[in-house]
Amino acid sequence: MHDHTLTIEAARAAIDEKTKPLGALGQLEEIAVRLALLQNTLTPRADRARVCVFAGDHGVTDEGVSAYPRVVTREMMRNFERGGAAINVISASLGVDVRVYDVGVDSDDVAAESVRVCRGTRNIVDEPAMTADQVDAALEVGANAARDAAAAGIQVLGLGEMGIGNTTIAAAVLSALSGQPATGTVGLGTGIDAAALERKRAVVECALAVHGDALGDGREVLRRLGGLELAAIAGAAREAARLGLAVVADGFISTVSVLAALHIASREGEDRARELTRALFFAHRSAERGHALALAACAAFPGCDATPLLDLGLRLGEGSGAALAAPVLRAAAAVMRDMATFASASVSTAEQSPAAQPA
Amino acid sequence: MHDHTLTIEAARAAIDEKTKPLGALGQLEEIAVRLALLQNTLTPRADRARVCVFAGDHGVTDEGVSAYPRVVTREMMRNFERGGAAINVISASLGVDVRVYDVGVDSDDVAAESVRVCRGTRNIVDEPAMTADQVDAALEVGANAARDAAAAGIQVLGLGEMGIGNTTIAAAVLSALSGQPATGTVGLGTGIDAAALERKRAVVECALAVHGDALGDGREVLRRLGGLELAAIAGAAREAARLGLAVVADGFISTVSVLAALHIASREGEDRARELTRALFFAHRSAERGHALALAACAAFPGCDATPLLDLGLRLGEGSGAALAAPVLRAAAAVMRDMATFASASVSTAEQSPAAQPA
């Protein structure tokens, strides 16, 4: 899609000429270089950020895996509409746009411009979560959201979700994609008690046993074990990357969805995988148990820098971490775009050759 | 100065009623509670942030402790004026105000509204950096900057600095206040080579030996070993805290200056120390060697939460980390102020009692 004539060497050289000691802006410099390469310009912009919140319900909530009743998904949809949720107020305070997509909420209310695929998935301990048509439709909801963002001039696309039961679903997908058992991927989610945690682990183990032999590529893992909002995030990540947007994964569920997207892209070829990894940023280190494993699984893809931008102990979802990370990208772009150079500002350069810096 | 009728229990209860699982916003919730207590309201604001950059030169640069020549301090002053430095472009991208104060730059240029105390300090290996009048004047420059910010409606005051040689000075002050040797407090600064690092350590050890017996309280440590910009930061932190502003320490030098302010306040009484600790936030974990020790020394004061907000490997100074942290405080205030409650949004609450959450 995009020409990439700017080399990493040229982008690094540009940062090194700015009026600051070599490397003194740490991770911000790496982000600045990545944004420059992604936009193929030494004057990148990351002012216009949007968080897409994809929402869906899950058949697996029949198993008692969440601290909250299933109805909370649709109740939170109204909260999003009225601007009262965390993602609304955090984004508003930071100049970040928010769009909420009902990909599969179990509710009688259907918005006029609904993109809902169905009223939630089926229970993964019994059968596949989705049909092939449903997973494709959910991937397409995400892709359309990415196209809309690009058309609106958005440069940074955060990917969030809402769906009671979806830490269970994400744990199952992560176990399937990483080969790790449920003990490593199942966490406390919204805050379950010890008995529910045991139940949640057993549910994931059961689902893995039921579908294990039939699990194939990333798309089939999403179809059998995933959720509509997870598939939408995967679809949005792929299309946004293709369109040259910076893609910001949020927490556990968002990262697992992006991991599925990486698996799908890899199957299609090295170029498609590289297109995605070059666009991916990871907003924060979540407090949810499986997130570190999900980040490590993403980092195993060549060229994927899965170093989180923030570490604030968040475990909410909704894209709240992605919204909080947006200013970091905005500032990094400004450093590359607007800082003076030693030459342009007539500032003297170092007298000594720089020593190796601490990592 | 301020009435504080809002209790921590009431502030925590308000956060717990918001539409999110208990504790799911992690450190952001702690910040929200702290801002509410500081402003004595459940509708705190942190929209208006300013970074003050205090600049000064240092006699110790005669010892060859920096990678950059002394003239860079005044050259960077021009860069700040023209808006080309990192602090300018980062702050502009984030809606953060910047003010630069020449407390002690060695330059023939004097601005009309100059607050310069003198043209830099004396060499600490030979004599005290400042006279008693000079350190008091520098503390007052900072206090005035805090008063100006409060008068302008600023709610969040970041404290940054510029001064070739000031990591050496900050290391000496930190060694004096913490009792730790130069090996633990001296780092690479702007990026010196191995020979210069040895020299820098020896310079700090020499200064500690010269002044050791005469070092008394925080103010005397600043006078003998400190710098004009360090004293200004200490003065600004104290006055801003007294006026109820959130005070954001930046990196190594700023944190050491705040540590000196904590020592000064403690001498004046528990109430003065508590007034300061309740206002203090720490922007980031710097890559400069002594910063972790400086944070730990601050955390040793009762009520001081020295958990850094960001960890981006920054080691620039100028207040760049404080500017980057400003959006985190802005978002935290918005969470406390604007989020709906389970009751107001008609969202169902948890069915299970929450389990203990991971830290």
Side-chain angles (χ1 to χ4, degrees):
Chain A
M1 176 94 189
H2 288 269
D3 286 334
H4 292 291
T5 51
L6 181 65
T7 64
I8 190 164
E9 293 76 17
R12 289 236 162 91
I15 277 285
D16 289 348
E17 285 167 9
K18 305 294 185 184
T19 49
K20 51 160 199 58
L22 275 178
L25 283 173
Q27 204 177 340
L28 213 63
E29 298 189 19
E30 286 305 307
I31 299 165
V33 166
R34 291 192 54 202
L35 290 170
L37 293 172
L38 190 62
Q39 298 183 10
N40 195 38
T41 173
L42 290 175
T43 56
R45 302 208 73 98
D47 307 297
R48 304 197 59 182
R50 172 179 292 180
V51 171
C52 293
V53 186
F54 299 100
D57 273 305
H58 301 272
V60 78
T61 52
D62 289 352
E63 309 298 323
V65 289
S66 178
Y68 288 82
R70 176 183 174 94
V71 68
V72 166
T73 306
R74 64 172 180 259
E75 291 172 347
M76 283 299 294
M77 291 299 281
R78 284 203 302 273
N79 199 15
F80 293 137
E81 275 167 33
R82 292 173 188 166
I87 187 60
N88 299 112
V89 308
I90 291 171
S91 295
S93 77
L94 301 175
V96 173
D97 189 24
V98 177
R99 292 293 153 96
V100 180
Y101 298 88
D102 173 354
V103 202
V105 179
D106 183 11
S107 159
D108 291 332
D109 305 339
V110 182
E113 70 287 19
S114 175
V115 295
R116 189 189 291 169
V117 173
C118 57
R119 287 178 67 150
T121 57
R122 281 165 291 188
N123 190 342
I124 60 170
V125 300
D126 298 324
E127 55 188 327
M130 292 174 261
T131 66
D133 284 351
Q134 286 170 341
V135 73
D136 286 343
L139 286 160
E140 191 60 17
V141 167
N144 278 328
R147 285 177 209 119
D148 287 350
I154 296 293
Q155 297 130 350
V156 175
L157 193 68
L159 300 176
E161 43 55 50
M162 173 70 216
I164 296 301
N166 69 7
T167 56
T168 304
I169 289 300
V173 171
L174 178 56
S175 279
L177 293 176
S178 70
Q180 295 296 311
T183 46
T185 63
V186 172
L188 297 174
T190 50
I192 51 175
D193 58 27
L197 182 63
E198 278 310 304
R199 200 157 54 235
K200 189 170 169 180
R201 281 191 187 130
V203 163
V204 169
E205 278 161 15
C206 174
L208 291 168
V210 167
H211 299 282
D213 292 341
L215 293 172
D217 62 3
R219 181 174 160 286
E220 187 64 7
V221 170
L222 279 179
R223 184 181 85 78
R224 289 186 164 268
L225 299 173
L228 293 149
E229 75 277 40
L230 278 76
I233 289 173
R238 284 160 53 74
E239 185 66 7
R242 197 182 68 78
L243 294 167
L245 276 67
V247 176
V248 185
D250 183 34
F252 178 55
I253 295 136
S254 179
T255 302
V256 169
S257 307
V258 159
L259 176 63
L262 284 165
H263 277 267
I264 295 172
S266 291
R267 273 290 186 98
E268 295 170 350
E270 210 176 294
D271 284 359
R272 291 287 285 157
R274 195 69 192 83
E275 178 181 83
L276 183 50
T277 56
R278 67 183 289 137
L280 279 177
F281 294 84
F282 294 83
H284 72 108
R285 196 179 296 283
S286 166
E288 177 69 7
R289 177 192 288 264
H291 193 232
L293 177 61
L295 288 171
C298 289
F301 284 81
C304 190
D305 179 356
T307 315
L309 305 179
L310 303 173
D311 186 2
L312 293 167
L314 309 174
R315 51 179 175 79
L316 177 63
E318 296 182 9
S320 51
L324 283 160
V328 177
L329 273 71
R330 199 181 296 163
V335 163
M336 180 62 95
R337 191 179 64 239
D338 296 332
M339 265 185 80
T341 63
F342 282 98
S344 74
S346 301
V347 173
S348 305
T349 51
E351 291 172 328
Q352 300 170 7
S353 52
Q357 287 292 339
Chain B
M1 173 93 190
H2 288 268
D3 287 334
H4 291 292
T5 52
L6 180 66
T7 64
I8 190 165
E9 292 77 15
R12 289 236 162 93
I15 277 286
D16 288 348
E17 286 167 7
K18 305 293 187 185
T19 50
K20 52 160 198 58
L22 277 177
L25 283 173
Q27 204 177 341
L28 212 63
E29 298 190 18
E30 286 304 307
I31 299 165
V33 166
R34 292 191 55 202
L35 290 171
L37 293 172
L38 189 62
Q39 298 182 12
N40 194 38
T41 174
L42 290 175
T43 56
R45 300 207 76 97
D47 308 296
R48 304 195 58 180
R50 173 180 291 179
V51 171
C52 294
V53 185
F54 299 101
D57 273 304
H58 300 272
V60 78
T61 52
D62 289 352
E63 309 298 324
V65 287
S66 178
Y68 289 82
R70 176 184 173 95
V71 69
V72 166
T73 307
R74 65 172 179 261
E75 291 172 345
M76 283 299 293
M77 291 298 281
R78 284 202 303 272
N79 199 15
F80 293 138
E81 274 167 33
R82 293 172 188 168
I87 187 60
N88 300 111
V89 308
I90 291 171
S91 295
S93 77
L94 301 175
V96 173
D97 189 24
V98 176
R99 293 294 153 96
V100 179
Y101 298 88
D102 173 354
V103 201
V105 178
D106 183 11
S107 160
D108 291 331
D109 304 339
V110 182
E113 70 287 17
S114 175
V115 294
R116 189 189 291 169
V117 173
C118 57
R119 287 179 66 151
T121 57
R122 280 164 292 188
N123 190 342
I124 61 170
V125 300
D126 298 324
E127 55 187 326
M130 292 174 261
T131 65
D133 284 350
Q134 286 170 340
V135 74
D136 286 343
L139 285 160
E140 191 61 16
V141 167
N144 278 329
R147 284 177 209 119
D148 288 348
I154 296 293
Q155 298 130 351
V156 175
L157 193 68
L159 299 176
E161 43 54 51
M162 173 70 216
I164 296 301
N166 69 7
T167 56
T168 303
I169 289 301
V173 170
L174 178 57
S175 280
L177 294 176
S178 70
Q180 295 296 312
T183 46
T185 62
V186 172
L188 297 175
T190 49
I192 51 176
D193 59 27
L197 182 64
E198 278 310 304
R199 199 157 58 234
K200 189 170 169 180
R201 282 191 187 129
V203 163
V204 169
E205 277 160 15
C206 174
L208 291 168
V210 166
H211 299 281
D213 292 341
L215 293 172
D217 62 2
R219 181 174 159 286
E220 187 64 6
V221 171
L222 279 180
R223 184 180 85 77
R224 288 185 165 270
L225 298 173
L228 293 149
E229 75 276 41
L230 278 77
I233 289 173
R238 284 159 53 74
E239 184 67 6
R242 196 182 69 77
L243 294 167
L245 276 66
V247 176
V248 184
D250 183 34
F252 178 55
I253 295 137
S254 179
T255 301
V256 169
S257 306
V258 159
L259 177 64
L262 284 165
H263 277 268
I264 295 172
S266 292
R267 274 291 186 95
E268 295 170 350
E270 209 177 294
D271 285 358
R272 291 286 285 155
R274 195 71 191 81
E275 179 181 83
L276 183 51
T277 57
R278 67 182 289 135
L280 278 176
F281 294 84
F282 293 83
H284 73 108
R285 197 179 295 283
S286 167
E288 177 69 7
R289 176 191 289 264
H291 193 231
L293 177 61
L295 287 171
C298 289
F301 284 82
C304 190
D305 179 354
T307 315
L309 305 180
L310 304 173
D311 186 1
L312 293 167
L314 309 174
R315 51 180 175 78
L316 178 63
E318 297 182 9
S320 51
L324 284 161
V328 178
L329 273 72
R330 200 181 295 162
V335 163
M336 179 63 95
R337 190 179 66 238
D338 296 331
M339 265 185 81
T341 64
F342 282 99
S344 74
S346 301
V347 173
S348 305
T349 51
E351 292 172 326
Q352 301 168 7
S353 52
Q357 288 293 337

